[in-house]
Every structure is written in C-alpha cells, then in structure tokens.
Amino acid sequence: MTHRRAAIPALIGGVLLTALLWWAGASTEALHLQGTTDTLGGRVVAELQQWLTPWSYDPPTSVRFGSGVLGEIGDPAGGDATRYLSLYETALQIRFAAVFVFFVLGAMLLVRRLPPVDGRLPATLLALWGWGVVAGMLAVTVSAPWLIASQGRGSYRFLPQLAGVISSGRQMPVVTALLASLATVFAARVIAKGQDPLPREAVPVRAARLAATVGTAVVALSLVVLSYESVAAELQTSFSGSGLFSEPGDLLRQWLLLGAWSAPAGVSFGDWLLYRATDVLLLALVWTALRRLPAMLTRVTVPAMAVGTVCVTVLGLLASQLLRVALDGSTLKWDLMYLSTAIGGGVPAALVWGLTAGAAATVTLRAAGGRGPTADAPAAEPEPARP
C-alpha cells in the first residue's frame, strides 16, 4: 500500500480519536449537573472526573483564580489569572494536536506494513488500538510543560511534577483508541479492495523464534529484573540532585518499569505464584506476537517491528491488568475504581522497551538468516486478497 493510500485511513482514525477525546473532555460539565451524583454515586462520579479532566478545557480552580506570584510576594490567590488560563489552553491545544499527529504517523506505518487484508485484519486492529493508547500518552507528555507552568509551580520539583502529569489522562485513550482503530481498519479495508494480493515476508521458523526470544528477553529485563521491589527502589532513590531537575527517580521509574513485584510476604507461595501469572501472560503475548509478526509484515523493517512490538507490549499490559482485577476478585461495586487506577499504566515503559525489543528482534532476525526461504510454506506464500 502506498503512502497516499495509507494516509487516508490514518487521517480518518486520527480525526476520530481527537474528536472523541475532545468530546470526552467536554463531558466533564455533565458530571456537575444536579442529580448526577445521586444517579451514579459519588465514587463513580469522582473516578469519571479523574478520567475526563486531563482532556477537558475546563481549568481547575487553581488555574482559574490564579496560582502564580504577584511581583516578589507569593500570593496564590492574587496572581494574574489570565496568564495561567492562557497557558492551560495552550497545553490543551498542544495535547489535542499532538494526539492527532502521533496517531496518524504510527497508523500510516502500520497500515502500510500490516494492511488489514490476507488474514491480517485482527492483527492490524489490535496494533492500531495499542498505538492509539501510545499516541495519547505521548500527547500528554509533550503538553506537560505548559500544563505544569499553568499551575504556577514550574520551577518547583519539575521532574516529579512531570511524572505525575504523564501518568494522568491514560484511561480515556484506551477506550477511544479502540473506536478509532475500528474506523481506521474499516477505511483501510475499503481502500485495499481491488488491489493485487500483498506480499508476505519469507521468514524461517527458527530465525523467527530466535528473534522473538531475544525481543521477549528485552521486555523481561524491565518486567522481571528492574521491576523487582529492591531494584526498583534503588533505581528511584539513587539519582538525586538539586534545583529544577532534582529528584528524577519518579520519572525514571515510570519510563523504565513495566510492573512491580516482590517476594512472597504475608501470603502463601501458591497465591504469590498465581499473581505472577499476569507477568507470564504479558511475556507469552509478546513472544507469540513477535514470533508471528515478521511473517505478517509486507516488509520487515526496524520501524515496523519496533512500532509493532510497542503495540504488543501495550496490549499485553492491558491484558495483564484485567487479569489482575479478576484475580483480586473485585466486586462490581469496586471494579470501576480499581480499573481507573490500574488501566493504561506502564505505557511509557512499554514505549521504551517495545522500541528496544523490536529493534533487537529485527537485528537478530536478519543475523539469523531471516531473508532466506522459509520452512513455513503457508506463511511465505502470498494469499489472495479477501473481499
């Protein structure tokens, strides 16, 4: 598929994702209507507000009434509120523009290298869903400095504040990205009709397994080694400093750790082992996807493998978070609260380690003879396009 053809569904998905996030942010006003709390419950309204506020143009009280300083005298209530309101609006404008740009760029690459034809449709849909979540996280990240400045505290503990902003607004992209990916796949499917059958990369089975193992090992380095409580604590507390960029531990932890786990303490070994099933699920999904991904791509390239691995890691995190909810045995009354704190977590680390794992898998695949004839004939031979 050419760049021009791939751009059309990517633009459709980007517009839909941006519009859905804007609509979700605008819906925060409905949570303040009389009777909403009585209908949904106070806890549910509070959690929904936490989901929607990062995408809302309605500024918090600290920004609306000014939270800066007036002259040399600290006066939280007497600062010029228009300055902070302008910064807040700029942050939201950058956020929505960035989510559109990031989604379109990634979707174009995925639609070109993993078009939704020849049995690839489920893989394309899932990959675009995962990339939509990443696009939301990147948009929040690039707009974070303006949002922090609008609070009037940009010079105080900037890095911990940055880590806190990045971790917000992660729930809504999980929902909206699924709808945007459906629209993107449908448009790409329509555009791909009538084209010649798209090629599949010929990948030897042994080389694919070796590449998948190497990529999974890179992800496991974060999930198993760095995420262990003693290692994670050392990582968070070993880096110190002073001034604007002091205390980078929170930020490093967020971008390097895919999870958190500890040795059995206060629970039986069987229960502890059961909770480790979430990590096993994530690694199993990553290995299986990396094993099949090279044969599904129209051309194995480092960008395609890296972005695909990022999407797989994000989806693996979502699956492991849902499994953890099931293992906890949460009742329906508390499920929304539990999901709101867990869902969408670890996406920054998934981006870092997914890109690294994808690049490592590609290098391994080529070094192991990934361009030679494949022993898996059905995966190597192109299939006719399905209507």
Side-chain angles (χ1 to χ4, degrees):
M1 186 178 290
T2 63
H3 285 91
R4 182 178 299 178
R5 287 178 175 270
I8 297 174
L11 288 171
I12 292 174
V15 170
L16 181 59
L17 177 61
T18 307
L20 287 173
L21 288 173
W22 178 87
W23 173 78
S27 300
T28 52
E29 293 294 336
L31 298 177
H32 304 296
L33 295 176
Q34 185 177 5
T36 302
T37 302
D38 296 334
T39 303
L40 299 178
R43 293 182 180 272
V44 174
V45 170
E47 293 303 327
L48 287 176
Q49 188 168 358
Q50 185 179 356
W51 283 35
L52 302 178
T53 297
W55 303 96
S56 173
Y57 269 91
D58 185 24
T61 303
S62 59
V63 177
R64 186 182 297 111
F65 296 105
S67 57
V69 295
L70 187 61
E72 298 295 329
I73 302 175
D75 184 9
D80 185 1
T82 57
R83 294 180 301 172
Y84 300 103
L85 285 172
S86 178
L87 283 171
Y88 186 85
E89 292 176 357
T90 301
L92 268 294
Q93 291 168 0
I94 293 173
R95 181 166 297 185
F96 285 112
V99 75
F100 172 79
V101 172
F102 283 124
F103 181 83
V104 169
L105 292 177
M108 284 184 61
L109 176 63
L110 290 171
V111 170
R112 287 193 69 228
R113 297 301 180 206
L114 192 63
V117 295
D118 300 338
R120 299 182 178 101
L121 193 149
T124 308
L125 176 62
L126 292 175
L128 288 170
W129 183 19
W131 182 253
V133 178
V134 174
M137 181 274 299
L138 289 174
V140 171
T141 301
V142 298
S143 63
W146 285 268
L147 196 67
I148 294 172
S150 71
Q151 303 289 334
R153 302 189 301 270
S155 60
Y156 173 71
R157 290 169 54 89
F158 177 77
L159 293 182
Q161 288 188 77
L162 183 61
V165 173
I166 294 173
S167 64
S168 66
R170 64 192 184 191
Q171 293 90 357
M172 282 311 303
V174 175
V175 180
T176 56
L178 178 59
L179 300 177
S181 62
L182 287 169
T184 306
V185 166
F186 177 77
R189 183 79 171 179
V190 172
I191 292 173
K193 278 188 176 181
Q195 286 190 323
D196 295 332
L198 297 174
R200 286 178 181 263
E201 189 79 4
V203 181
V205 175
R206 182 173 298 179
R209 289 174 178 172
L210 180 60
T213 302
V214 172
T216 305
V218 173
V219 175
L221 175 63
S222 170
L223 186 65
V224 177
V225 179
L226 298 183
S227 295
Y228 185 62
E229 61 175 3
S230 59
V231 180
E234 188 70 21
L235 179 68
Q236 187 170 5
T237 58
S238 294
F239 299 91
S240 60
S242 60
L244 181 63
F245 298 105
S246 62
E247 303 181 27
D250 292 339
L251 192 62
L252 288 173
R253 182 187 181 100
Q254 185 166 338
W255 285 88
L256 295 179
L257 304 187
L258 280 167
W261 66 283
S262 60
V267 296
S268 64
F269 180 75
D271 292 338
W272 175 86
L273 197 61
L274 184 62
Y275 274 90
R276 298 281 65 76
T278 59
D279 300 333
V280 175
L281 174 63
L282 172 57
L283 295 178
L285 289 175
V286 170
W287 189 91
T288 303
L290 285 180
R291 163 66 181 83
R292 298 178 179 274
L293 182 61
M296 301 185 71
L297 296 174
T298 57
R299 183 183 175 189
V300 177
T301 62
V302 173
M305 285 289 292
V307 172
T309 308
V310 169
C311 299
V312 168
T313 308
V314 170
L315 294 174
L317 282 172
L318 293 177
S320 64
Q321 290 159 6
L322 291 176
L323 177 59
R324 186 175 296 275
V325 172
L327 293 177
D328 281 348
S330 303
T331 63
L332 292 177
K333 180 179 179 180
W334 299 102
D335 276 349
L336 181 60
M337 292 190 62
Y338 189 92
L339 283 173
S340 67
T341 58
I343 194 169
V347 177
L351 177 63
V352 172
W353 295 104
L355 292 175
T356 306
T362 308
V363 172
T364 304
L365 186 66
R366 292 178 176 176
R371 293 183 177 180
T374 178
D376 191 358
E381 297 177 359
E383 298 176 2
R386 299 179 181 176

